[in-house]
Amino acid sequence: MELHQLTIHELQELLSRKETSALEITQAIFSRIHAVDKQVRAFITLTEEEALAKAREIDNQGEYGRIAGIPLGLKDIFCTRGVKTTCASRILENFVPTYDSTAAGKLFADKGILAGKLNMDEFAMGSSTEQSAFFSTCNPWDFTRVPGGSSGGSAAAVAADEVPFALGTDTGGSIRQPASFCGVVGLKPTYGRVSRWGVIAYASSLDQVGTFAKDVRDCALVMNIISGKDPLDSTSVDLPVPDYSASLDGNVKGMKIAYPREYFQPGIDSQVQEAIKKALIKYEEMGAIVDEVSLPHSEYALPAYYLVATAEASANLARYDGVRYGLRDFEAANVIDMFSRSRAEGFGEEVKRRIMLGSYALSSGYYDAYYLKALKVRRLIADDFSKVFAKFDLIVSPTAPTVAFKIGEQIGDPLTLYMNDILTVPINMAGLPAMSIPCGFHEGMPVGMQLVGPAFGESTLFKAAFAFEQNTDFHTFRPALEVK
Ligand code: GLN
C-alpha cells in the first residue's frame, strides 16, 4: 500500500513509529491529487504550498497524535481564513474569509493539514454536484457517473484516495448520498452535535456538519475532534461528547434493529434492496434482533422538506445583495437595480428556483397553507421515529434509491433529482444522526446502507457500523482509477 491509500489510523501508526513524516504524507497526497484530479475534478482550490509548510512545521515539533500531520479536504462551504471559500457559486467566487469555521478550526488546532477546498452543488442545493457554478465532479468508480451531492467533491476525493478524510454538510442527505454513491463512510450527526459556526447556511433548521472517511474507525476519530458545544453557535448542544472510538467493539449481540417497510418500496432499485436485506441477515448472524416497522408519514417527508428547506434558503440567501459579500454589478443605475443585477448574475438556476419557491411558501396567504403545514408534517415524521426508538436501538435502510446515475441523466428534471433524497430527508426533518456505509455493489457501483440512531446516539451507529465492517470486506474495495 502507498501512503495516499492509507486511513488516518494507519498513517498515525506510521507517524508514531517514525516510519514516515507529515511531509512525506503530504507530498504523497499532492502527487496523488496531481495524478487523478484532472479527471475526478474534486477540488476547487488547492492549498499545496501552505500544506507543505505546515507539514514541515509539524515534523519539526516531532509530536504526533490524533490527526497531527494528516491532510484533509473541506467542502467549499466551510469558511477558511485566508483561503477562498466559494460555496461553488459565482456570487462568492472571490470571497476570502477572515476566520475559520469552528469545525475546520478544531481540525487545524489538532494539527490536521488542509489540502484544499472541495466541489459541491451551489449553496449545497443538489444531489449530483452538477449544480456547481464551476464544473462537475466525476465519480471515481466510473467517470461517466455523478459522485452524488451536494458534498460530491468530498466523497469523490476520499474515494479516489486524494485525501484520507474530508468534511461535508448534510441538509437532506448531502453527506450520506454521496458517501453511498462513492463507496465511502459518511456520517451526519445529530442536529446540534457539531458547531456550524462559519459554515455557509442553506437551511438552518436542517443543516449539519459531518465527515467522510475510508472506514468507521476514522469516522469516529474525526467526530471525537469536531463534536461539542460551541459558544459561537447557539444551536450546538451542551451534552458531553462520548469517546466514539470506545464504542468500536464489534459487538451487536441483542441489539434491536428495525427496517421500515416504507423504505423498501418499488421505487427503490430491487438490487439495492437486496444488498440491504443481505446486510440485515448478516446482522442477525452476528446476534442482533431484526424486525420490520412502519414509519407511516414517510411519503410526506420529501414535499415537506422542499417547503421547509426552500423557505429557510430564501431567508438565508437574502444576505447576498452585492453590498456585503462577493459579486457586485457596477453597471447598475441605482441601488435596487444593483441588488437585482448582482443576484441575477451571481446565482445559478437551481438556487434561483429555490429562492422563488421559498419566498412563495412564506408569502402572506400561502404561509399557512404550505409552510405551516410542512412544519406540522415535520412533527409527525419526528414522532414516527420516536415511536420506533422506544423499542429499537437502530433503523437500517438503503441510503439512496439507486446507485450513482450518469452525468446529465437527471439534471434537466428537478423533481427526479429531488427523489434521490427520499430516504435521507426524513432523518434531517427529525434531527437524528445517520450514517452511510458501503454494503455491496450493483452494476459495478457501490451500494450504501443507511444506519439511523436516536438523537445523540452516534455511539450506537459506530458500534453497529464497525461490527458490519469487521464481518465484511466492502470497505476495502477501491475504484481502479484509470489515470490518463
Ligand atoms: N439534495 C438535497 C437538496 O438539494 C439535500 C442537499 C443537502 O443535504 N445539502 O436540498
Side-chain angles (χ1 to χ4, degrees):
M1 293 272 260
E2 295 180 60
L3 284 175
H4 66 260
Q5 298 174 299
L6 301 180
T7 60
I8 304 172
H9 57 90
E10 287 164 342
L11 290 169
Q12 235 178 19
E13 228 182 277
L14 292 182
L15 282 170
S16 67
R17 292 203 303 258
K18 306 257 181 234
E19 285 171 27
T20 188
S21 64
L23 186 62
E24 266 175 25
I25 295 172
T26 308
Q27 283 168 335
I29 285 299
F30 279 101
S31 51
R32 176 66 175 177
I33 293 172
H34 294 312
V36 303
D37 208 57
K38 274 192 276 311
Q39 279 161 296
V40 179
R41 302 175 8 126
F43 283 93
I44 293 178
T45 303
L46 288 176
T47 48
E48 184 164 3
E49 255 177 58
E50 300 88 322
L52 293 171
K54 188 155 178 204
R56 285 194 187 93
E57 197 185 304
I58 292 167
D59 285 333
N60 284 338
Q61 292 164 353
E63 269 173 49
Y64 305 105
R66 300 226 283 193
I67 55 162
I70 311 280
L72 62 105
L74 292 173
K75 184 179 185 177
D76 209 15
I77 198 168
F78 289 86
C79 286
T80 39
R81 186 162 41 124
V83 179
K84 208 170 61 165
T85 301
T86 69
C87 226
S89 181
R90 293 268 170 236
I91 212 154
L92 290 177
E93 194 168 3
N94 296 311
F95 173 53
V96 180
T98 52
Y99 49 82
D100 284 324
S101 49
T102 298
K106 283 184 171 184
L107 297 176
F108 300 154
D110 236 86
K111 299 189 199 172
I113 299 176
L114 181 67
K117 307 291 295 286
L118 293 155
N119 201 17
M120 54 185 282
D121 289 298
E122 184 177 2
F123 284 101
M125 297 172 186
S127 305
S128 64
T129 313
E130 294 166 284
Q131 325 250 32
S132 164
F134 307 130
F135 49 85
S136 296
T137 295
C138 300
N139 191 308
W141 291 86
D142 174 349
F143 293 146
T144 69
R145 298 188 193 235
V146 302
S150 64
S151 316
S154 301
V158 174
D161 288 325
E162 294 180 82
V163 277
F165 76 102
L167 294 191
T169 57
D170 189 313
T171 305
S174 281
I175 290 176
R176 289 158 288 158
Q177 185 254 21
S180 168
F181 280 13
C182 292
V184 296
V185 175
L187 172 76
K188 178 207 98 73
T190 311
Y191 187 77
R193 179 78 295 184
V194 180
S195 167
R196 299 170 304 160
W197 190 80
V199 181
I200 295 169
Y202 161 17
S204 306
S205 78
L206 299 157
D207 296 343
Q208 194 46 221
V209 166
T211 188
F212 293 88
K214 294 183 183 181
D215 67 9
V216 176
R217 184 182 291 280
D218 276 8
C219 189
L221 198 143
V222 176
M223 275 302 292
N224 281 341
I225 299 173
I226 63 173
S227 301
K229 172 76 185 162
D230 174 10
L232 297 173
D233 175 358
S234 59
T235 63
S236 67
V237 174
D238 196 4
L239 279 177
V241 180
D243 176 5
Y244 294 119
S245 305
S247 55
L248 309 177
D249 60 8
N251 182 6
V252 291
K253 267 204 185 66
M255 188 182 274
K256 295 200 185 90
I257 300 180
Y259 63 94
R261 82 172 63 99
E262 292 80 5
Y263 287 48
F264 292 82
Q265 298 284 347
I268 315 300
D269 187 296
S270 61
Q271 293 305 307
V272 170
Q273 291 194 39
E274 211 41 54
I276 309 304
K277 285 183 183 150
K278 280 195 190 136
L280 287 169
I281 293 171
K282 190 97 207 154
Y283 272 121
E284 275 185 326
E285 286 167 11
M286 294 188 273
I289 300 150
V290 176
D291 212 348
E292 187 183 76
V293 293
S294 173
L295 293 168
H297 298 95
S298 299
E299 64 174 304
Y300 307 112
L302 198 69
Y305 167 84
Y306 274 98
L307 282 166
V308 173
T310 55
E312 294 183 14
S314 72
N316 274 327
L317 271 60
R319 74 189 70 177
Y320 305 101
D321 52 12
V323 177
R324 285 165 289 190
Y325 300 88
L327 188 103
R328 175 181 300 176
D329 184 291
F330 287 100
E331 312 286 295
N334 56 46
V335 73
I336 302 292
D337 193 32
M338 192 272 284
F339 288 169
S340 65
R341 288 172 67 140
S342 302
R343 286 167 71 81
E345 282 166 42
F347 289 138
E349 213 176 289
E350 181 62 24
V351 175
K352 286 178 189 158
R353 178 179 295 121
R354 297 200 186 195
I355 292 172
M356 286 193 274
L357 275 172
S359 309
Y360 181 76
L362 288 177
S363 58
S364 92
Y366 295 105
Y367 183 96
D368 288 0
Y370 296 117
Y371 181 66
L372 207 61
K373 198 174 260 171
L375 292 187
K376 289 178 183 169
V377 170
R378 183 174 191 174
R379 163 53 54 200
L380 295 174
I381 291 164
D383 288 348
D384 281 356
F385 281 105
S386 302
K387 281 181 198 142
V388 171
F389 285 122
K391 294 196 188 125
F392 290 86
D393 301 304
L394 190 73
I395 295 174
V396 165
S397 78
T399 304
T402 59
V403 295
F405 48 89
K406 296 274 186 190
I407 293 175
E409 192 180 322
Q410 299 190 3
I411 195 70
D413 180 1
L415 287 182
T416 305
L417 205 54
Y418 294 175
M419 293 302 281
N420 276 284
D421 308 322
I422 196 148
L423 305 172
T424 46
V425 297
I427 287 90
N428 299 70
M429 293 291 265
L432 302 174
M435 195 170 190
S436 181
I437 57 172
C439 76
F441 289 91
H442 172 44
E443 300 173 359
M445 298 303 291
V447 176
M449 166 163 63
Q450 176 170 244
L451 313 177
V452 187
F456 298 98
E458 281 83 359
S459 297
T460 310
L461 299 184
F462 283 124
K463 197 178 173 71
F466 188 71
F468 186 76
E469 205 176 73
Q470 292 289 292
N471 286 276
T472 54
D473 60 0
F474 301 112
H475 65 289
T476 61
F477 291 95
R478 283 278 155 264
L481 290 184
E482 280 171 39
V483 182
K484 284 194 197 122

